[in-house]
């Protein structure tokens, strides 16, 4: 099995945001308020196709992120907003293989850098029992 994109979530922590959560492009799946004016918005960017390779998922997500958070489009560009964006990327790979590899497309990395989005990656390596649904 080639490593696939299991799930992708964009977390935006912002201070100084008033009003409803921004639609990027839709409503967040979760919105929390914290201390000292911190608001957290969580958007699910997971691919609809559960067998999509990491590289293909990255290209689709890069297009969404560019439309949502490019410097000229981001709703968080006001000087009084202090935003931190983190893309949480889950990768499912075959535990039985000796090793696995995938690549991050340059277009994807460029969008992340331009929009100042941090990337966190979690690897999920199910056992045979978990793959069969017996776990």
């Amino acid at each position: 099995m080639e490593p696939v994109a299991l799930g992708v979530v964009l977390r935006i922590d912002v201070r100084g945001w008033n009003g409803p959560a921004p639609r990027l492009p839709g409503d967040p799946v979760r919105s929390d308020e914290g201390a000292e004016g911190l608001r957290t918005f969580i958007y699910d960017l997971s691919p609809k196709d559960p067998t999509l390779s990491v590289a293909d998922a990255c290209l689709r997500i890069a297009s969404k992120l560019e439309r949502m958070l490019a410097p000229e489009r981001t709703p968080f560009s006001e000087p009084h907003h202090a935003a931190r964006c983190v893309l949480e990327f889950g990768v499912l790979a075959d535990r039985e293989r000796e090793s696995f590899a995938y690549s991050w497309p340059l277009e994807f990395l460029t969008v992340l850098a331009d929009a100042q989005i941090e990337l966190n990656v979690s690897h999920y390596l199910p056992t045979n029992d978990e793959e069969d649904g017996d776990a």
Side-chain angles (χ1 to χ4, degrees):
M1 163 176 92
E2 178 180 353
V4 296
L6 182 60
V8 183
V9 175
L10 176 65
R11 187 184 80 235
I12 301 173
D13 299 319
V14 64
R15 291 194 189 285
W17 183 265
N18 295 318
R23 295 181 51 84
L24 297 177
D27 292 324
V29 294
R30 187 169 157 193
S31 178
D32 297 321
E33 293 189 34
E36 299 178 22
L38 178 68
R39 296 208 39 206
T40 300
F41 305 114
I42 299 175
Y43 299 88
D44 185 2
L45 302 180
S46 301
K48 303 293 184 238
D49 181 354
T51 62
L52 202 58
S53 72
V54 172
D56 288 340
C58 286
L59 293 175
R60 290 183 187 183
I61 292 165
S63 176
K64 284 183 185 179
L65 289 172
E66 190 169 37
R67 288 191 309 268
M68 294 169 23
L69 296 171
E72 67 277 3
R73 295 184 180 132
T74 181
F76 308 111
S77 62
E78 297 296 322
H80 59 278
H81 294 151
R84 177 176 178 235
C85 301
V86 179
L87 190 67
E88 305 279 349
F89 206 108
V91 175
L92 178 65
D94 188 354
R95 177 183 295 275
E96 302 303 316
R97 295 180 66 176
E98 193 170 306
S99 65
F100 63 90
Y102 52 89
S103 63
W104 301 109
L106 181 58
E107 298 89 344
F108 175 71
L109 297 174
T110 300
V111 168
L112 293 183
D114 288 348
Q116 298 181 9
I117 300 172
E118 297 174 31
L119 176 63
N120 289 341
V121 181
S122 298
H123 294 95
Y124 298 90
L125 308 169
T127 63
N128 283 338
D129 292 340
E130 289 171 340
E131 290 172 350
D132 295 337
D134 296 336

